[in-house]
Amino acid sequence: MLVYPYDFRLTEKEKTSICYLSFPDSYSGGLGDTQFSFRLRQSGGQRTTHFGDDGEYNREAPLTLQRETAHYFGYVYFRQVKDSSMKRGYFQKSLVLVSRLPYVNLFQSLLQLIAPEYFDKLEPCLEAVCNEIDQWPGPAPGQTLNLPVMGVVIQVRIPSRVDKPGSSPVKQFNQENLLPAPLVLPTVHELDLFRCFQPLLIHIQMLWELMLLGEPVVVMAPSPTVSSEIVLALTSCLAPLKYCCDYRPYFTIHDSEFREYTTRTQAPPNIVVGVTNPFFIKTLQHWPHILRVGELKMSGDLPKQVKVKKLAKLKTLDTKPGIYTSYKTFLHKDKTLIKRLLKGIQRKRPSEVQSALLRRHLLELTQSFIIPLEHYIASLMPLQRAITPWKNPPQIRPFRQEDFMKTLEHAGPQLTCVLKGDWLGLYRRFFKSPNFDGWYRQRHKEMTQKLEALHLEAICEANIVAWMKDKSEVEIVDLVLKLREKLVRARCHHLPVKEETLQRVGLYIETIIGSLPEDLQTVLHHP
């Protein structure tokens, strides 16, 4: 196993897992090149990254594109060709790009350039490529990057948290007279949803609900390419809501978590797992939702749609494609979407247009579901007039599920979504899922930071000299220490406060210290 850069440290366990995940797990008679991806749990504690300030990137990137802290993504380019000089009669090799970033489109495009060259020229080629990649700028949300590699310039825009959800990527043609003309990627991460979901289009509603509720789902596919594409497509269904459960685009029987997922002594975990080895049909048949799919072939007609079947019909080896589940959807199917996609097929509409339709539908569905929650949680924030400079800011009120449910009658999803069904039941189930927990923690953290920022602004607008008039030295020293602590917190946690506000607080501290006796001034200036 060859690793570049040399100083990148992987544990032995990680190396072994990457080796197993880099090759198809089941017999694949197909010759040629295939690409797929996997996601791997990091072992052996936290490690520093090569990127300096992870925090800055994660603050500015959409939640769905944040850099992972406990997992690696692996992007694989696998080649299998007949070669009589080899012991098995085949040349089999994989080139794997490991990253903490979920940029599937960028990294798979990069591998398409590098891998064929590497298989021909081996190590020197890889060293040259790594030297070029070393010079690339770090990913900056909102910026278009020009990334030179092997005589080609890849141009791609890194999405930002302030982008409007569902808007098409900003046109990137600030080409700066680049020669040769750059390879422009429309997106760093989005898949061709229409292609990934084509045998499942009439069940898109059910799949969205299963993802929203964080249900355990197995995707059984004929190849790692199909399994990883469908798993990544499923987990992207909820954007801009972050999918907070675990997911494995491709999983093998050699994985260290194999026992954990196949045990029958406890309920399956909240995870979407993609597999190809038929052995999993037997070991995972106790899971509540199993998607069995064939090869994804784009044809001129609507591909054959799989049927929903009872779990009991899951045969050990000759399992036919289908969704094996007893799940009943809370919402009714959207027949309009299916008709529009069908019309697109008849009119030979390009796949990317069909994907955009599908993505827009899923975005509107997620937004209809999440907007009432956003409105309710915003109402829990204390009023601005309740924030006074010399008292700790008031607490955010607790989230009460029943109070939220009462708001739905007048401000529920029915205002923005035509779909009928049991929305209340869907919310009740959602409250029990890791996705609700992840959403609520993130919002609560943002609101707490906003409160701290408003408190700092209130302090800035206060008359500090008037406050000090009747205060003892102990109280004044206490205020200095508290303001210093607030200043440190504001900078360390990057609170949403203007720089001038922070500077004014700094000046306040100096003013207060200047009013104290000299011996105290000396102590406070040299903490």
Side-chain angles (χ1 to χ4, degrees):
M1 184 179 181
L2 185 67
V3 180
Y4 276 95
Y6 294 120
D7 60 348
F8 184 63
R9 293 278 165 262
L10 288 166
T11 65
E12 286 309 309
K13 187 177 177 183
E14 286 165 349
K15 283 182 186 174
T16 306
S17 294
I18 289 169
C19 286
Y20 279 125
L21 287 164
S22 303
F23 291 90
D25 184 27
S26 53
Y27 169 72
S28 169
L31 295 176
D33 297 355
T34 51
Q35 287 183 263
F36 56 93
S37 22
F38 59 80
R39 185 167 173 268
L40 168 78
R41 192 185 288 173
Q42 182 183 297
S43 66
Q46 290 286 320
R47 265 158 281 175
T48 53
T49 70
H50 283 250
F51 295 104
D53 187 6
D54 264 5
E56 189 178 347
Y57 169 81
N58 279 354
R59 276 191 305 280
E60 294 174 10
L63 293 175
T64 50
L65 288 182
Q66 287 182 329
R67 192 177 272 126
E68 292 264 2
T69 52
H71 292 85
Y72 291 120
F73 293 98
Y75 303 96
V76 183
Y77 192 108
F78 169 69
R79 173 169 287 182
Q80 175 168 287
V81 288
K82 278 188 176 165
D83 184 345
S84 53
S85 67
M86 298 298 223
K87 199 172 172 184
R88 291 177 165 187
Y90 286 102
F91 167 91
Q92 289 178 313
K93 212 174 191 94
S94 280
L95 183 62
V96 187
L97 191 154
V98 177
S99 172
R100 294 186 186 280
L101 293 165
Y103 293 173
V104 59
N105 209 29
L106 170 62
F107 292 140
Q108 292 292 19
S109 302
L110 179 62
L111 283 173
Q112 283 168 19
L113 294 171
I114 302 170
E117 199 75 3
Y118 163 65
F119 293 139
D120 287 346
K121 298 177 182 165
L122 301 177
E123 240 181 289
C125 155
L126 213 51
E127 196 155 352
V129 163
C130 286
N131 287 336
E132 283 188 288
I133 292 173
D134 259 352
Q135 307 305 311
W136 287 4
Q143 287 190 17
T144 297
L145 303 182
N146 292 313
L147 309 172
V149 63
M150 292 176 60
V152 177
V153 174
I154 300 173
Q155 191 175 86
V156 70
R157 181 180 180 275
I158 307 297
S160 159
R161 194 174 293 196
V162 296
D163 295 346
K164 189 167 171 257
S167 60
S168 56
V170 181
K171 286 283 178 277
Q172 303 163 1
F173 302 109
N174 54 336
Q175 307 234 333
E176 300 156 17
N177 302 322
L178 290 171
L179 286 171
L183 168 65
V184 179
L185 300 182
T187 161
V188 276
H189 67 293
E190 286 178 352
L191 295 158
D192 184 341
L193 274 196
F194 180 65
R195 196 173 70 82
C196 297
F197 283 145
Q198 51 173 328
L200 307 158
L201 290 172
I202 61 171
H203 306 296
I204 207 80
Q205 183 66 46
M206 177 192 276
L207 298 175
W208 176 82
E209 286 188 22
L210 293 176
M211 292 301 103
L212 182 73
L213 301 175
E215 286 287 309
V217 175
V218 184
V219 175
M220 292 184 172
S223 69
T225 308
V226 177
S227 97
S228 60
E229 284 192 350
I230 291 183
V231 170
L232 291 176
L234 285 169
T235 56
S236 74
C237 270
L238 301 181
L241 184 67
K242 185 177 182 179
Y243 178 75
C244 295
C245 307
D246 200 354
Y247 61 99
R248 300 301 159 93
Y250 173 50
F251 187 77
T252 76
I253 55 175
H254 306 288
D255 204 287
S256 55
E257 282 114 16
F258 177 73
R259 279 222 175 103
E260 190 184 319
Y261 296 162
T262 53
T263 177
R264 289 172 187 245
T265 56
Q266 59 198 52
N270 302 93
I271 180 172
V272 184
V273 60
V275 300
T276 60
N277 194 322
F279 179 66
F280 280 108
I281 297 175
K282 191 175 178 188
T283 54
L284 296 178
Q285 64 189 160
H286 60 295
W287 279 44
H289 319 287
I290 295 173
L291 262 69
R292 184 86 160 98
V293 290
E295 282 293 349
L296 301 177
K297 292 189 180 73
M298 288 298 265
S299 60
D301 316 311
L302 179 70
K304 191 174 177 195
Q305 298 295 291
V306 302
K307 294 190 172 118
V308 175
K309 304 181 180 186
K310 290 191 173 75
L311 279 160
K313 293 202 168 172
L314 198 66
K315 301 280 193 310
T316 309
L317 283 170
D318 61 343
T319 303
K320 293 192 165 49
I323 301 180
Y324 293 83
T325 181
S326 56
Y327 181 80
K328 296 283 180 283
T329 56
F330 286 91
L331 307 179
H332 306 322
K333 250 180 213 169
D334 186 348
K335 291 183 179 158
T336 331
L337 172 75
I338 307 301
K339 282 178 188 163
R340 287 177 76 189
L341 292 171
L342 263 173
K343 195 178 277 184
I345 290 169
Q346 287 155 5
R347 292 181 177 174
K348 300 195 165 30
R349 204 185 276 149
S351 183
E352 58 268 25
V353 179
Q354 297 278 73
S355 281
L357 258 177
L358 201 46
R359 194 169 275 113
R360 162 69 54 188
H361 168 78
L362 290 165
L363 170 71
E364 287 171 358
L365 195 51
T366 301
Q367 284 182 325
S368 294
F369 183 82
I370 221 75
I371 285 169
L373 284 160
E374 296 283 5
H375 284 165
Y376 174 71
I377 202 166
S379 74
L380 304 177
M381 186 83 166
L383 294 172
Q384 196 153 345
R385 65 169 178 264
I387 301 165
T388 56
W390 316 121
K391 285 183 184 170
N392 282 334
Q395 297 288 301
I396 297 163
R397 291 193 299 284
F399 189 107
R400 299 191 196 283
Q401 292 179 16
E402 287 314 311
D403 289 352
F404 165 71
M405 296 304 241
K406 286 173 194 162
T407 67
L408 294 176
E409 192 179 338
H410 303 294
Q414 71 279 5
L415 297 182
T416 51
C417 186
V418 294
L419 286 190
K420 300 280 185 282
D422 181 10
W423 285 96
L424 296 185
L426 188 60
Y427 279 114
R428 286 190 201 284
R429 275 285 285 276
F430 177 67
F431 289 143
K432 296 173 186 166
S433 80
N435 289 327
F436 170 70
D437 186 58
W439 170 82
Y440 176 72
R441 281 169 190 266
Q442 175 67 26
R443 282 289 171 270
H444 196 274
K445 178 183 161 193
E446 288 167 6
M447 287 162 72
T448 305
Q449 291 185 339
K450 178 71 179 161
L451 262 180
E452 289 184 64
L454 289 170
H455 192 224
L456 269 175
E457 282 167 20
I459 291 168
C460 272
E461 284 161 20
N463 184 338
I464 205 120
V465 179
W467 177 85
M468 283 162 48
K469 270 184 184 159
D470 58 347
K471 297 294 180 289
S472 68
E473 284 179 5
V474 173
E475 287 173 294
I476 292 172
V477 170
D478 186 51
L479 178 67
V480 169
L481 299 177
K482 277 183 176 163
L483 286 180
R484 272 190 177 155
E485 190 188 334
K486 278 186 172 295
L487 214 47
V488 169
R489 264 189 68 77
R491 293 205 185 277
C492 290
H493 293 258
H494 300 273
L495 297 186
V497 188
K498 294 186 186 123
E499 181 57 36
E500 62 191 87
T501 304
L502 298 179
Q503 286 174 1
R504 277 177 71 185
V505 173
L507 284 171
Y508 270 17
I509 293 170
E510 291 306 313
T511 305
I512 299 167
I513 293 175
S515 72
L516 292 166
E518 278 189 21
D519 56 337
L520 270 179
Q521 285 190 37
T522 312
V523 171
L524 289 169
H525 275 308
H526 301 92

